[in-house]
Amino acid sequence: MNIKTEKICVKIGNKHILKGIDIDVNKKEFIGIIGPNGSGKSTFLKCIYRNLKPTSGIINLDKIDINKLTVRETAKKISVVSQHNHYNFDFSVEDIVLMGRAPHKKMMERDSIKDYKIVDEALEKVNMKDFKKRSFTTLSGGEQQRIILARALAQQTDCLILDEPTNHLDIKYQLQLMNIVKQLNIEVIAAIHDLNIAAMYCDKIYVLKDGEIVAYGKPNEILTKELIKDVYEVDANITINNENNTINIAYSPYI
Ligand SMILES: Nc1ncnc2c1ncn2[C@@H]1O[C@H](COP(=O)(O)OP(=O)(O)OP(=O)(O)O)[C@@H](O)[C@H]1O
């Protein structure tokens, strides 16, 4: 699926949160959105997954204006793993993952054997099958995050949006989550704070600062000392691993 945004602006009160964001995501690309706290990453992603209507601008999915799609049609194309997952009711893990099947069902249609099989497979993928009958609210932050990924997997969409997906996860599960997502071989748009993780997994990165894109390109090309200083106001040392052409960023503690 091609995801293209043109001049996305969000203004709330007097504040211009996004000032014309253009991105173009092609088939099976893993796109990172990076930038400091408050630069507009989540706001931009919310526009794409229709949690927020931009003040102006266009979002096209395969050249179709997203406003022409119903929410259900959008949910068949885009799933979301965000950092905030609060449920007021005492849902089981299985209930939460089954919610991923909702866009594929008619009103009042019961869950089928196929739905349960998809849920089991999704839980298996995130190593959480044994937690199926547990209450979601009793899980740790990291366990909850993996269940939310399983829900997104059960939704079986062409595009996955991740808003700081590795929040709460220890390093093993950060890598596990990113590996699972990478292997899906679908379009991914991910807001990522950890620049080393972004460099490892993203095909391309957009850098946001104060609601504008200030850089765009392959991780190795754009994640420079100068850019990190300019955008994050931090000194960094970047080394290149010639074996696999990846980079490693080490930060200076002095700010
Ligand atoms: N509903 C709102 N009303 C007023 N200001 C808002 C609203 N939503 C977001 N903002 C502001 O817009 C700016 C961008 O917020 P956003 O959450 O998109 O940033 P972010 O890059 O995702 O930040 P972080 O890295 O901290 O998660 C922030 O200054 C935030 O306070």
Side-chain angles (χ1 to χ4, degrees):
M1 186 167 64
N2 172 263
I3 302 148
K4 192 167 185 191
T5 72
E6 285 173 38
K7 300 192 174 62
I8 297 297
C9 294
V10 171
K11 189 174 174 218
I12 298 180
N14 287 331
K15 192 172 162 68
H16 287 270
I17 297 174
L18 298 179
K19 302 169 185 164
I21 306 293
D22 296 347
I23 70 163
D24 194 354
V25 183
N26 290 307
K27 231 178 163 27
K28 299 183 179 174
E29 272 185 328
F30 196 124
I31 299 294
I33 312 276
I34 65 166
N37 288 143
S39 54
K41 302 179 295 295
S42 296
T43 304
F44 177 58
L45 294 182
K46 280 179 189 165
C47 294
I48 302 179
Y49 64 83
R50 299 186 80 176
N51 183 282
L52 179 73
K53 199 169 166 45
T55 313
S56 59
I58 300 168
I59 299 167
N60 281 331
L61 304 182
D62 277 340
K63 297 194 175 157
I64 300 170
D65 187 331
I66 208 166
N67 291 313
K68 297 208 168 92
L69 301 171
T70 62
V71 171
R72 179 186 289 264
E73 282 167 340
T74 313
K76 278 190 191 171
K77 293 173 184 287
I78 297 178
S79 53
V80 183
V81 177
S82 80
Q83 29 180 331
H84 310 289
N85 301 295
H86 301 297
Y87 289 97
N88 291 325
F89 296 101
D90 190 25
F91 290 114
S92 72
V93 162
E94 188 175 44
D95 292 332
I96 300 279
V97 183
L98 267 170
M99 288 176 194
R101 300 302 302 149
H104 298 277
K105 305 167 88 73
K106 297 195 193 80
M107 189 87 102
M108 307 301 279
E109 186 182 329
R110 301 188 69 161
D111 299 317
S112 65
I113 292 171
K114 184 180 163 203
D115 292 322
Y116 283 103
K117 189 166 172 271
I118 290 170
V119 166
D120 278 354
E121 283 166 3
L123 284 170
E124 180 99 61
K125 246 191 181 153
V126 300
N127 271 346
M128 292 295 284
K129 214 170 165 190
D130 294 345
F131 289 68
K132 196 160 90 171
K133 298 296 173 194
R134 275 276 295 275
S135 156
F136 181 76
T137 51
T138 66
L139 302 185
S140 75
E143 288 162 352
Q144 288 190 351
Q145 194 68 336
R146 282 149 65 200
I147 298 306
I148 298 303
L149 175 64
R151 186 187 64 188
L153 298 179
Q155 207 170 321
Q156 297 186 319
T157 56
D158 284 342
C159 171
L160 178 58
I161 291 185
L162 307 170
D163 190 356
E164 257 308 298
T166 55
N167 249 4
H168 304 298
L169 297 182
D170 67 40
I171 186 65
K172 175 182 156 192
Y173 286 116
Q174 285 188 33
L175 297 171
Q176 186 207 52
L177 182 141
M178 296 304 275
N179 287 338
I180 293 170
V181 171
K182 187 86 180 169
Q183 280 161 18
L184 292 174
N185 234 355
I186 61 174
E187 291 79 62
V188 178
I189 309 175
I192 302 173
H193 272 302
D194 185 324
L195 302 186
N196 282 307
I197 293 270
M200 278 167 79
Y201 290 94
C202 296
D203 297 312
K204 287 181 193 144
I205 290 177
Y206 288 87
V207 186
L208 268 182
K209 187 182 175 190
D210 296 330
E212 287 178 285
I213 291 169
V214 293
Y216 158 71
K218 292 186 181 161
N220 294 12
E221 290 164 9
I222 60 152
L223 290 176
T224 59
K225 242 173 122 75
E226 293 73 23
L227 178 115
I228 292 169
K229 180 76 181 171
D230 176 42
V231 174
Y232 292 95
E233 299 169 18
V234 164
D235 288 308
N237 224 337
I238 298 176
T239 45
I240 298 176
N241 181 347
N242 286 326
E243 252 175 55
N244 49 10
N245 201 28
T246 54
I247 57 173
N248 186 267
I249 303 162
Y251 302 102
S252 156
Y254 305 107
I255 49 172

